[in-house]
Amino acid sequence: MSTVSISTPAVTAPNSHGRRLFRKRLPAAMALLPTALVVLVVYIGCMVWTVRLSFTSSTLLPKLDWVGMTQYTRLFANDRFVTSAENIVIFGILFIAGCLILGFLLAVFIDQNVRAEGIFRTVFLYPYAMSFVVTGVAWQWFLNPGLGLQKVVRDLGFESFTFDWIVSQDMAIYTIVIAGLWHGSGLTMAILLAGLRGVDEDLWKAAKVDGIPTWRVYTSIVLPLLRPMVVTATVLLATGVVKLYDLVVAMTMGGPGIATEVPAKFVMDHLFERNNIALGTAAATIMLICVVSILAPWVYARYVRPQGRHA
Amino acid sequence: MSLKTRISAYTLAVAVVWSPGAFAQQMKAEVLHWWTSAGESAAVKVFADQFTKAGGTWVDNAIAGGANARTAGINRMVGGNPPTMMQFNTGKQFDELVSNDLLRDMESQAKAGKWRELMPKPIVDATVRNGKFYAVPVNIHGQNWLFYNTKVFADAGLEPPKTFPELIQSGEKLKAKGIIPIALGGQPNWEHNLFRAVLVGHGGADLFRKVYGSRDQAAAKSPKMKETVELFGKMRALVDPGSPGRNWNDATALVITNKAAMHFNGDWAKGEFLAAGQTPGKEYGCTLVGEGGGKLVIGGDVFVFPATKDKAMLATQDKLAEILLDPATQIAFNNKKGSIPVRMDVDVSSMDVCAQKSHAVLSDPANQVEAMELLSTPNFSGAMQDAVTQFWNNPNMSADAFIEKITAAMRDAS
């Protein structure tokens, strides 16, 4: 995010100064007004509305009564929501960490001046160009024990080969992680590669003169330099975690059983299929609280504290 | 400009604005529905053609996916810009639209057309609120048919099962021969559909109504319920490992291609057999499993008419209601849709054997069991579905633990 500073004109007469400043800033304020309104009404307004509805007994249509914490008690007694919450934690950690590691390794690999770099870059980035729905369906077929990988390997003669994670209660969530990694690591690679290309050649030369091994240069010099890129990639991946829905719907429909349910799907199902707006909005509110509590320290550290120090 | 000219200019302007409304003899109907598959859109075209023939203009607003379509339609009604007519499933989906006065009651048409005498009672009950019809039912879908592959059964020297204990015995024999006994679309709603077929077949219509309708916790803890749940649990072994996540039509395809013997589904599955060039009674059969010949769980589709004060729209809605229930249109529509006519007085001899069987079973009111959608709120149905899918996919879960989940859902779900 960048701040646009409008240069103040040289002060001549204190009287006309205020008016001139106002005139100068008016167009900018006018230009920002629609966005500000959209943010206020659509984002903040809907958020407040959602939180308010979570304290009601609304079913198909919103109803503005007050039932206190009833919906939240129900929510945390609900097996499916608890499983969803556990799943999103598993997915979130493995997906973000996995994408960063894989993305970094791919970026380093491409940065070695490999031949036909363009082709590799395209191949690695290609999955990101596909929607989660396509990704989900493709992986569903690929992992289906009767159609995909397991069948192919068995047909090749390895009769005892078993890879049936997608139909197993305990392992199914990891197949979602695999599909997510396949989809997301290309983007991480692209972001980190751009960073790697920005590393000063002289640093490499200096490190070579000092006789530092290459891996050490990457971990101790390059990686710290890439911090802004890593942060960008993490933020982008984190939004993908919170809104995880279409991949699950396309791949497992939340199954087997409720093994791969995620909070966003819980919210969607209760809002639009089960006519239970109140429970759906309660789950959405919990998601909001989680996101805010993760985001707040970061926003504080990044935007609030430095300014405080300068002043 | 003098005052006089100004007034006349104003009147003229008003007249110009109003004239299309005032002189419109053209009936224009915007119809919102979610019949988007090949067979379904062919079926809805029957209505559209009849309406066009009657001089109307049919504006087809098909939105893929029931939930999406309902959300869109409800939002438009609440927002004051409703379609002329909108599809719902027979049952409770439109309850709150009625209680919020968003729907027009069709009682006068119903009285004139003697709907109460012509339609099965569960369908009437599911459409009437406060003594008035608030929707027009257009078809009846049976949800608990057993489709079986005749060749597979003949080769194994077995008869199609009549009860669930029999089904499990035959299933084990078929499995020993390397055939998938039951083809199941392993998604929560199809697992739940299978459970309901077992519940109504083995537990009986009464238990089914007590579980889904009155949420009777004592009934859920009864020995009969436990027996039913244990039978359902045993069926887990009759399904192939590739079942989880499978689409229902892929499950139907397993029966079509002789890989599987049996498949529980609604009569909409006939469309898949038909598309594969198979005829009911020949390559595949349809039967009801359960004690005493089996009951048919029925649901279907209705059209609701949003409340309006616009006279032209009211007239259009009257015409539409008339077309929907016309006997010839009913046969043509239901042949395409795979369901059976909602009027029990039409001649079904031109329909396929499964439809005829449906009609015959339903002529005895004791065999008519209202579908879950008619008995239970979407929220309770959803909670039951969560419980069923957990039990089905976790072979270690005991019948008692499952029943515990059911009674918890009965208590907590609104």
Side-chain angles (χ1 to χ4, degrees), chain B residues 204-331:
Chain B
D206 212 36
L207 185 61
F208 185 87
R209 289 191 185 105
K210 276 182 180 156
V211 170
Y212 284 98
S214 52
R215 298 192 200 170
D216 183 339
Q217 294 186 33
K221 286 177 183 147
S222 65
K224 189 76 186 171
M225 181 73 178
K226 192 170 176 188
E227 206 180 292
T228 309
V229 167
E230 276 166 353
L231 277 174
F232 178 62
K234 281 186 189 156
M235 289 168 79
R236 293 186 282 216
L238 302 181
V239 168
D240 64 306
S243 163
R246 181 187 284 148
N247 292 319
W248 71 265
N249 46 340
D250 294 332
T252 317
L254 289 175
V255 178
I256 293 174
T257 53
N258 301 333
K259 286 187 187 122
M262 299 177 273
H263 176 54
F264 280 91
N265 212 332
D267 43 22
W268 50 83
K270 282 195 298 190
E272 296 293 313
F273 289 98
L274 190 70
Q278 300 196 340
T279 331
K282 236 167 109 193
E283 292 92 348
Y284 73 99
C286 43
T287 184
L288 294 168
V289 186
E291 285 166 354
K295 315 268 180 249
L296 187 59
V297 176
I298 53 172
D301 300 285
V302 301
F303 277 103
V304 300
F305 296 90
T308 177
K309 290 200 172 70
D310 180 351
K311 288 234 168 64
M313 191 156 153
L314 287 171
T316 311
Q317 291 179 337
D318 288 342
K319 188 76 203 168
L320 284 167
E322 187 190 315
I323 287 168
L324 294 179
L325 288 174
D326 173 71
T329 315
Q330 276 279 308
I331 294 278

Side-chain angles (χ1 to χ4, degrees), chain B residues 59 65 129 152 227 252 282 362 412:
Chain B
V59 182
R129 305 283 187 282
V152 168
E227 206 180 292
T252 317
K282 236 167 109 193
L362 288 181
D412 298 337

Side-chain angles (χ1 to χ4, degrees), chain A residues 59-60 79 169 257 274 276, chain B residues 96 100 379 386 389 393 405:
Chain A
T59 49
L60 173 67
D79 290 346
Q169 288 248 307
R274 298 191 177 177
N276 197 343
Chain B
E96 288 188 49
N100 284 283
N379 188 29
D386 288 346
T389 188
N393 286 287
K405 277 197 193 305

